[in-house]
């Protein structure tokens, strides 16, 4: 994840993009998010959404795809484990079509302690896979059963689209 963030900033600097300084400033916030993850702290749904927006803004400096993020929280102070949803935004930018004619659609909703996250993007078959492709997805698949006893995760690749839907009952957090 962090490697991809640095790669984005590096690409901006190679192009002598005037937004490179802005990307470096946003890096500080993303580093804070990673620190939360590494400290095994939970994060409020409202803060999680803010980090989505920062990550989207950072990637929008380099990619022209429109990102539509819808959110609604009955209780925005509910907490969740970090780095469950953000890797799917990372994958959408890294493996998806990101020119001005494409769109990444995402939604995160919470009602009565149930969080539903969905993201859909067009697949770019011309973007090459690297040696770590799929690691984020596999890590999330492995983490979820240790974190929540009530969750569902569907990943569908169909008709040139990549779709992810995750449902988590925040009331069923496994105590470590």
């Amino acid at each position: 994840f962090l490697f991809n963030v640095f790669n984005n900033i590096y690409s901006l600097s190679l192009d002598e993009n005037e937004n490179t300084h802005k990307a470096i400033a946003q890096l500080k916030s993303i580093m804070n998010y990673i620190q939360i993850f590494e400290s095994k702290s939970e994060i409020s749904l409202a803060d999680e959404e803010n980090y989505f927006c920062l990550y989207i803004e950072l990637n929008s400096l380099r990619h022209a795809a429109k990102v539509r993020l819808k959110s609604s929280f009955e209780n925005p102070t509910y907490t969740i484990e970090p780095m469950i949803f953000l890797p799917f935004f990372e994958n959408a930018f890294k493996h998806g079509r990101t020119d001005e004619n494409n769109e990444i659609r995402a939604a995160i909703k919470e009602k009565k302690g149930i969080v539903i996250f969905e993201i859909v993007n067009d697949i770019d078959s011309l973007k090459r896979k690297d040696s770590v492709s799929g690691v984020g997805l596999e890590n999330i698949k492995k983490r979820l059963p240790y974190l929540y006893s009530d969750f569902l995760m569907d990943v569908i690749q169909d008709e040139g689209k990549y779709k992810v839907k995750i449902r988590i009952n925040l009331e069923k957090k496994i105590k470590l």
Side-chain angles (χ1 to χ4, degrees), residues 2 7 17 21 30 70 83 85 93 98 101 110 123 142 156 165 171:
L2 194 53
N7 197 33
N17 188 306
H21 70 282
I30 291 171
K70 293 182 182 180
M83 293 296 285
F85 308 126
F93 284 108
T98 55
N101 298 320
E110 177 274 327
I123 298 168
K142 289 176 184 174
I156 302 165
K165 183 174 183 178
E171 299 290 328

Side-chain angles (χ1 to χ4, degrees), residues 4-146:
N4 289 329
V5 171
F6 279 121
N7 197 33
N8 260 347
I9 295 170
Y10 178 68
S11 294
L12 289 171
S13 71
L14 287 177
D15 295 338
E16 296 181 13
N17 188 306
E18 62 187 42
N19 290 315
T20 302
H21 70 282
K22 187 176 180 181
I24 292 169
Q26 290 171 328
L27 176 62
K28 180 181 176 190
S29 295
I30 291 171
M31 296 290 286
N32 183 49
Y33 183 72
I34 291 168
Q35 187 176 15
I36 291 167
F37 171 68
E38 288 178 347
S39 70
K40 298 182 176 29
S41 300
E42 291 184 327
I43 188 168
S44 74
L45 291 172
D47 286 342
E48 181 79 347
E49 178 190 21
N50 287 335
Y51 284 112
F52 291 168
C53 292
L54 282 169
Y55 188 76
I56 290 165
E57 188 178 332
L58 175 64
N59 278 278
S60 294
L61 296 174
R62 185 171 168 214
H63 303 288
K66 294 174 192 75
V67 181
R68 307 226 187 272
L69 173 62
K70 293 182 182 180
S71 62
S72 67
F73 306 121
E74 194 174 81
N75 183 351
T77 61
Y78 259 116
T79 59
I80 192 162
E81 290 288 326
M83 293 296 285
I84 292 175
F85 308 126
L86 196 64
F88 295 106
F89 285 100
E90 178 185 15
N91 285 348
F93 284 108
K94 185 176 178 183
H95 302 294
R97 292 185 177 194
T98 55
D99 62 27
E100 66 275 353
N101 298 320
N102 290 284
E103 182 175 76
I104 298 168
R105 291 183 314 280
I108 183 168
K109 302 175 214 168
E110 177 274 327
K111 188 172 184 178
K112 297 183 180 172
I114 306 291
V115 172
I116 297 175
F117 172 82
E118 297 178 80
I119 190 165
V120 178
N121 63 279
D122 293 313
I123 298 168
D124 188 340
S125 59
L126 299 177
K127 288 186 177 176
R128 64 187 172 110
K129 305 259 183 200
D130 55 26
S131 62
V132 293
S133 289
V135 171
L137 174 62
E138 288 307 311
N139 284 343
I140 294 165
K141 284 180 179 178
K142 289 176 184 174
R143 282 180 63 214
L144 280 173
Y146 291 103

